Amino acid sequence: MSASNEVRRISPSAVRARKGQTPLVVLTAYTTPIARLVDPHCDVVLVGDSVAMVLHGHDTTLGATMEMMILHGQAVARGLSRALLVIDMPFGSYEEGPEQAFRNAARIMRETGAAAVKLEGGVHMAETIAFLTARGIPVMAHIGLTPQSVNTLGGYKVQGRGSDSTRIREDAVAVEAAGAFSVVFEKLPESLARELSAALTIPTIGIGASAACDGQVLVVDDMLGLFTSFRPKFVRRYAELGETAETAIAAYAEDVRARRFPAPEHTFPDEVPSR
Ligand code: KIV
């Protein structure tokens, strides 16, 4: 590729500099083909620990492991040429302290080529965020509803309502002061998301936190209608690929049962070279 054709990757500092400009487009991806589809349209592609639920059938994100995040991170990295790749630190890989977090974040970056990690937590994670950023690891923070804490939060409820808004304000200020280059707001009331997005100097990326944020992140399988076990209220479905796939699989099953499949010397008219 000539220098003039070279696609420049979006960096964490470029994401940070987008504050107050065009909203940031963020989607998850877990595989190479989906990464190739989202790359031209997204600023950031997140290998979320939601992979444990969406692709591996776990009930919560607590089932994600370092190995899972690295394997999917490597697959997604192969499909990206433009978007910033961010990988979630899985439950249990960073909470013990800054050294453990550094060791695991460095491994994720080394083995996948990701330029940043995301971790959940506000005030209590500020020391870790500062430790990582001071040592070359850009951190996207994640506050509000933090799904890895589902067992202590008591479910997937909207956070920061009423007097609980103080906790969220403190978390937002703490992660920014610690050096996070951006912060995910999950399930926050619009008024609080608006207030904090105006107060912070880093971009806020909402998921179920309204258009008052500086961008939005969705789980790609949710917005494509591929993950159908449940449907978060805030997700707009842009396609119903689950239904399309089911119809196609049923048609295939019908063809096979009716012996409508070709002998080796026959090909379908639109067939491309097979594996
Ligand atoms: O794991 C994930 O996909 C996430 C996003 C939904 C923010 O953390």
Side-chain angles (χ1 to χ4, degrees):
M1 193 184 272
S2 74
S4 58
N5 282 341
E6 237 170 65
V7 182
R8 284 189 63 114
R9 266 225 205 248
I10 297 172
S11 64
S13 45
V15 167
R16 194 186 190 296
R18 282 278 290 278
K19 181 75 183 177
Q21 297 178 35
T22 327
L24 288 157
V25 181
V26 187
L27 279 174
T28 65
Y30 317 116
T31 63
T32 309
I34 294 290
R36 288 199 177 117
L37 285 175
V38 301
D39 186 51
H41 305 283
C42 287
D43 300 300
V44 179
V45 172
L46 171 70
V47 181
D49 58 356
S50 50
V51 67
M53 300 173 76
V54 175
L55 290 197
H56 293 269
H58 288 274
D59 287 338
T60 70
T61 59
L62 275 68
T65 62
M66 282 290 289
E67 287 65 35
M68 204 183 270
M69 301 314 298
I70 288 170
L71 191 69
H72 288 284
Q74 290 167 337
V76 169
R78 282 179 213 116
L80 300 184
S81 52
R82 179 186 163 275
L84 170 66
L85 172 60
V86 178
I87 300 188
D88 256 345
M89 299 206 62
F91 179 64
S93 71
Y94 60 99
E95 299 88 335
E96 281 172 26
E99 281 86 2
Q100 183 211 20
F102 181 81
R103 209 165 39 249
N104 285 319
R107 182 176 163 211
I108 288 174
M109 291 172 75
R110 187 170 55 244
E111 294 185 25
T112 65
V117 297
K118 176 166 83 57
L119 57 80
E120 295 182 6
V123 170
H124 68 287
M125 276 300 145
E127 186 193 350
T128 294
I129 295 171
F131 191 90
L132 296 185
T133 53
R135 287 162 180 76
I137 299 185
V139 177
M140 176 182 282
H142 182 155
I143 66 169
L145 173 65
T146 46
Q148 292 175 8
S149 303
V150 60
N151 293 306
T152 44
L153 290 174
Y156 294 99
K157 297 178 287 242
V158 174
Q159 303 291 305
R161 282 198 169 126
S163 59
D164 188 40
S165 62
T166 305
R167 174 178 69 90
I168 304 296
R169 283 191 190 93
E170 287 168 0
D171 282 345
V173 168
V175 299
E176 169 166 295
F181 71 92
S182 58
V183 56
V184 168
F185 283 177
E186 182 159 352
K187 281 204 177 174
L188 293 184
E190 179 165 359
S191 56
L192 185 58
R194 186 179 304 282
E195 174 201 319
L196 293 176
S197 295
L200 296 186
T201 60
I202 55 173
T204 62
I205 301 167
I207 173 161
S210 86
C213 296
D214 299 303
Q216 180 177 237
V217 55
L218 286 182
V219 169
V220 72
D221 295 64
D222 284 341
M223 54 81 74
L224 292 178
L226 268 172
F227 182 76
T228 50
S229 303
F230 59 86
R231 180 179 180 164
K233 276 199 202 128
F234 53 80
V235 171
R236 174 173 169 197
R237 283 221 184 129
Y238 289 78
E240 293 294 347
L241 297 193
E243 277 174 20
T244 306
E246 210 175 325
T247 307
I249 292 162
Y252 165 75
E254 227 177 279
D255 273 357
V256 173
R257 288 193 190 105
R259 299 196 181 281
R260 279 192 301 263
F261 47 98
E265 63 271 28
H266 295 147
T267 54
F268 290 106
D270 57 350
E271 198 163 291
V272 288
S274 66
R275 293 187 176 85

